[in-house]
Amino acid sequence: MIPELILTPGKEHNRPLICLVNTFDVPDFIELQDYEKELVVSTLKEGGDSCFLYTKNGYLAFVRVAHGLPLYLTNEGLRKAASKLAEKIRDTGSTEVTITGSEIDHSMILSFAEGFVLSLYRFDKYITVRDKIKRLPETITVSYDISSDDFEWLKRSCEAVNAARDMINEPSGKLNAKAFADAVRHLGNEAGFSTEIFDENRIAALKMGGLLGINSGSIDPPGFCVLEHKPANAVNSNPLVLIG
């Protein structure tokens, strides 16, 4: 699961707010007191990669975009900056946040949002005393001119990463071969890819001795999952095969 992601066009300034900037100035659409503006500008000019402050309308954070780097390195730096900022925002107990920017490439907003969403992940499935858990943002609004396709990619990629994390964090006693196969089949139904599950007889018939040998130390029968995705408008004719 990921927080609810909402896309709004233009530039919002509702608090709590995270704003990406490529200069040392506070964007005109954000209203601040003079002393607050001076604090933001001085912090960023002195080399800080971000400035975090509380205002009467909620917290506000500015993140300075690095200059002079290839775009892919800038975007990776923004993912890391988002991760650091997420640690502070966890402590606020805020249940919502808006991410916006001023005069920057739309990919920078997407990269920052990706890093922020993924940094909020936690595996709390088996925690029973939930009143002691810090609340995390449940709604994240991305306020920038981003295409719906790019925004959909952001949501789906974050969901996929967290689905993989959930399976990794499950204890082996819970996620054995059969349970894993069931989870894969469920993901296939949701995402639109086909799944084929080989049982022990099929694995033996295909002479997959390595898998059978490893499984001989388990009380649970083996399974082998084949996932296949055939998009309607594939960009190439050669299949991409991943084995793990």
Side-chain angles (χ1 to χ4, degrees), residues 97-180:
V97 64
T98 297
I99 299 173
T100 189
S102 177
E103 307 303 326
I104 60 173
D105 190 274
H106 75 280
S107 68
M108 297 178 183
I109 289 283
L110 288 169
S111 297
F112 184 89
E114 178 187 31
F116 187 78
V117 171
L118 294 179
S119 295
L120 296 176
Y121 173 82
R122 65 186 177 196
F123 185 72
D124 57 5
K125 180 178 177 180
Y126 300 109
I127 294 178
T128 54
V129 186
R130 293 189 172 269
D131 58 343
K132 295 183 179 180
I133 304 176
K134 290 182 180 178
R135 297 190 68 182
L136 299 178
E138 299 167 359
T139 303
I140 297 174
T141 300
V142 177
S143 180
Y144 209 70
D145 293 325
I146 295 171
S147 72
S148 57
D149 287 346
D150 286 340
F151 191 69
E152 188 67 17
W153 173 260
L154 168 68
K155 291 198 292 185
R156 297 308 177 205
S157 61
C158 289
E159 288 171 352
V161 169
N162 281 357
R165 287 168 161 176
D166 284 344
M167 287 191 284
I168 289 170
N169 284 319
E170 281 284 359
S172 58
K174 289 284 186 179
L175 195 70
N176 57 17
K178 182 183 182 306
F180 178 73

